[in-house]
Amino acid sequence: MAPKDSKDDNKPVKINKWDGSAVKNAIDDAVKEVLTKKYNYVENFALMDGRLTICGIAVGVAMFALLWDFLYPFPQSRPILIFCVATYFIMMGILTLYTTYKEKGIFVIAAQKNGSKKETVWEASSYLKKYDDKYKLVLSCRDAKTGAKREANLKKSVANFVDSNGSVVPEIVETEVGKLHNSLLSERKEK
């Protein structure tokens, strides 16, 4: 197996520019790169860990039901299977509520180290409706000292971020994220 080349890391990922979710995910990845690489913010995975915990519990319950049914065939395992199926569907309902109301389209949470224990938290969320070309990016910043949350957003066509070959142009994404980032920083300094 050949060692990974640093040239491969910078190689643009080619996507189907007519697939809305693929385009959204590619632009989201480019925004995440800007926050974590350019600004050197530390990514926080707590939101994703919450989703994985809920899914892990649901899978654990399903595996327990499978094992119990194997050890004690159906007529005997009926009450346990009913309980496990009900618990699985409840966990899927909780997962739906979690992704709808807690995650809210957030794809990256990054912490800006300020030298103290308190850190400024940056969140990026995006929205792209089905059959629409308008990509909406919301960048928010929660101040470490005051706890105040500020938001800046942009809404542009995905054609502004993707070239004719189907590759996201990282320089354009970096410029747009930089504008939002700087507007939030200047807003903080004015207060």
Side-chain angles (χ1 to χ4, degrees):
M1 183 176 229
K4 205 172 189 181
D5 221 1
S6 63
K7 294 179 208 172
D8 292 341
D9 292 341
N10 296 333
K11 185 178 174 186
V13 177
K14 192 168 182 153
I15 54 170
N16 179 1
K17 60 185 175 182
W18 304 111
D19 182 5
S21 63
V23 170
K24 178 190 174 299
N25 291 336
I27 297 172
D28 289 350
D29 289 343
V31 171
K32 185 189 301 187
E33 284 283 319
V34 170
L35 289 175
T36 57
K37 300 285 192 283
K38 180 182 177 187
Y39 295 114
N40 293 323
Y41 296 160
V42 179
E43 190 170 357
N44 182 339
F45 297 101
L47 200 62
M48 184 67 67
D49 290 345
R51 185 191 323 172
L52 289 173
T53 301
I54 294 168
C55 292
I57 292 169
V59 168
V61 167
M63 288 174 56
F64 176 75
L66 180 67
L67 179 67
W68 192 267
D69 190 50
F70 178 75
L71 295 175
Y72 306 99
F74 176 64
Q76 217 175 359
S77 66
R78 184 174 179 198
I80 299 297
L81 289 178
I82 291 171
F83 172 76
C84 289
V85 167
T87 304
Y88 181 83
F89 281 109
I90 289 169
M91 294 307 294
M92 290 299 101
I94 291 171
L95 179 66
T96 301
L97 292 173
Y98 183 83
T99 57
T100 304
Y101 295 109
K102 179 79 171 156
E103 285 186 359
K104 299 180 196 171
I106 297 171
F107 60 89
V108 66
I109 298 175
Q112 177 183 1
K113 303 289 183 182
N114 297 334
S116 65
K117 287 187 178 183
K118 294 186 176 181
E119 40 193 44
T120 303
V121 177
W122 294 84
E123 293 179 352
S125 57
S126 64
Y127 308 95
L128 183 65
K129 293 181 182 175
K130 196 172 186 177
Y131 307 119
D132 193 8
D133 71 326
K134 300 297 181 198
Y135 176 81
K136 181 178 181 182
L137 175 66
V138 178
L139 188 63
S140 65
C141 171
R142 188 175 309 113
D143 196 12
K145 296 174 186 168
T146 63
K149 187 173 181 179
R150 297 176 311 281
E151 285 187 354
N153 59 49
L154 73 88
K155 189 172 188 177
K156 289 192 172 188
S157 173
V158 293
N160 292 330
F161 303 108
V162 179
D163 65 8
S164 59
N165 296 326
S167 299
V168 174
V169 183
E171 294 82 19
I172 296 173
V173 174
E174 185 175 325
T175 303
E176 294 298 332
V177 172
K179 288 178 189 175
L180 292 175
H181 183 268
N182 294 337
S183 73
L184 287 172
L185 286 180
S186 65
E187 190 178 310
R188 179 172 66 177
K189 290 177 184 175
E190 289 172 6
K191 289 185 177 182

